[in-house]
Amino acid sequence: MALGVEAAGVVRAVGPTQARFAPGDEVLVHSAPLRHQGAWAEWFLAPGAHVAAKPAQLDWAVAGALPVPALTARQVVKRLRCGSDDDALVHGAGGVTGGLLVALAAAAGCRVVATSSPRAAGRVRGYGASEVVDYHAADWRSEVLDKVAGRFSVVINAVRGATAALVPLVADGGRLATIAGDPPPSERGIEVVDAYVAPDGQALEAAVAQLLARGLSIAIAGTYSVADAAVALDAATQGRAEGAPVLDPAR
């Protein structure tokens, strides 16, 4: 079985009930669960409802890496009901998904404070963060609280194992989401969301359109052949990749 749950490509054939797409259309997709196939391959079969149209101006490598982080960010921001009344903290904004969480929270009207490494701070500001704090600093929690009056109404965690430590930064009755699978118990009326991305072709189209309208994209760390998939996977899992590794079966 091939790995991978996101891809971009050209439609070669459609089922008899499929009306949204036709052979020759350029598309991108996040599709799961998988049983006998994966997206790290030359061919991929997906339910039509999972598929999104690829805008012509979207680079192919970006299109292949965008579905999961874009859908995750859109679904989290919508589920937390982010809006203009919110001060939002995005912890771990230097990663691909973390940056898109900043972008879509800012697009929803939130005033966004983010944490990242100093190396990623400029990119995170470009996504829409009003303040960026270095999470390597010993007092970074105090520093982020200095950016708001009180505590944050919305906090989103994109760092593995870090969600529980963010609870003191959430206002009473606020909303806390994690995309790292580590939700803490609720306290002080805080709504806790353990976010897991769901396939949705039309939502993916909307998320991509939002990003393109703001002139935003994601960084590509490198493009690999299928034969080098293990190298790409190692770079991604070890956290060494500056952006998203992409497989190109044509290489």
Side-chain angles (χ1 to χ4, degrees), residues 7-179:
V10 178
V11 175
R12 295 304 186 195
V14 298
T17 62
Q18 172 54 243
R20 290 187 65 219
F21 299 103
D25 288 348
E26 297 181 348
V27 298
L28 61 161
V29 61
H30 160 55
S31 193
L34 305 178
R35 295 188 183 277
H36 304 294
Q37 60 157 359
W40 290 12
E42 293 85 351
W43 299 90
F44 186 72
L45 181 67
H50 295 181
V51 180
K54 185 186 88 67
Q57 69 269 38
L58 189 63
D59 177 81
W60 276 109
V62 173
L66 198 54
V68 168
L71 267 177
T72 299
R74 179 177 172 83
Q75 290 170 2
V76 168
V77 167
K78 288 194 69 175
R79 190 167 175 184
L80 293 181
R81 306 174 303 282
C82 296
S84 57
D85 293 334
D86 290 309
D87 287 317
L89 171 67
V90 177
H91 182 47
V96 173
T97 305
L100 298 188
L101 284 162
V102 170
L104 295 190
C110 293
R111 176 181 178 272
V112 181
V113 176
T115 70
S116 77
S117 67
R119 182 175 54 191
R123 175 163 43 84
V124 173
R125 287 191 184 91
Y127 280 128
S130 60
E131 304 280 354
V132 181
V133 174
D134 179 6
Y135 59 72
H136 297 101
D139 61 345
W140 71 263
R141 292 174 183 83
S142 298
E143 191 173 345
V144 296
L145 285 176
D146 287 342
K147 310 298 182 184
V148 292
R151 288 179 281 195
F152 292 91
S153 55
V154 171
V155 173
I156 305 171
N157 177 51
V159 177
R160 189 177 303 169
T163 308
L166 301 178
V167 173
L169 307 181
V170 187
D172 294 357
R175 290 96 77 197
L176 171 64
T178 177
I179 66 169

